[in-house]
Amino acid sequence: RRVLFRSPMAVISKVIEEDVKLRVRQDNPKGGRSRERFDGYMRAKSAKEFVKLGGSKGDLQNDLVKGHVWLLDDETDAEMPWSKHPVVVKAKAGKAAAKAEAGKTEAKSEAGKAEAKSEAG
């Protein structure tokens, strides 16, 4: 099973929050309860509408990975790889930047402790 990246739900949440335009495949490939949900959200034109029509964050993540849902370019409405959509790229970069900043802060804190210990000793 393919994984989007380290924290996919944070990115999926951003896609929903930004109400990214999308296109859902119109032939239902699913079975069981997920088939019923797909029937509900297959007419969605945006990420918020996808959720409003019964899709979950997990459904959106799964359907993007499996190619049942495509994110659309904001200007042209052309289907584009989900990983290249500006909202996804920005959300992924934000997570990486936050993690890097947290690492810098921790390193500074450790350096400060070492310096204080050296001065005290």
Side-chain angles (χ1 to χ4, degrees):
R1 182 174 170 178
R2 289 181 12 190
V3 176
L4 294 178
F5 26 84
R6 205 158 202 193
S7 182
M9 285 305 160
V11 175
I12 296 298
S13 293
K14 193 67 172 170
V15 166
I16 294 166
E17 178 186 316
E18 296 287 328
D19 203 20
V20 173
K21 292 188 284 185
L22 53 78
R23 184 169 298 126
V24 181
R25 120 187 227 174
Q26 294 302 295
D27 57 313
N28 190 335
K30 300 190 175 199
R33 289 196 300 247
S34 61
R35 181 176 187 81
E36 293 170 16
R37 287 194 313 276
F38 194 96
D39 281 338
Y41 63 70
M42 70 190 295
R43 63 185 189 277
K45 303 290 184 212
S46 73
K48 283 185 180 177
E49 188 177 18
F50 182 97
V51 173
K52 183 178 177 184
L53 294 173
S56 68
K57 288 180 186 179
D59 289 329
L60 184 54
Q61 176 190 356
N62 182 62
D63 290 353
L64 284 167
V65 170
K66 291 190 174 179
H68 303 320
V69 173
W70 302 272
L71 300 183
L72 304 181
D73 180 271
D74 289 334
E75 295 176 16
T76 66
D77 282 347
E79 294 172 3
M80 62 186 308
W82 60 265
S83 61
K84 304 256 188 255
H85 193 280
V87 170
V88 173
V89 170
K90 184 178 176 184
K92 287 170 45 177
K95 292 289 284 179
K99 187 175 180 180
E101 188 60 35
K104 286 180 190 175
T105 301
E106 185 176 317
K108 284 181 185 177
S109 174
E110 291 300 318
K113 286 178 188 176
E115 186 177 322
K117 191 175 185 179
S118 154
E119 289 173 1

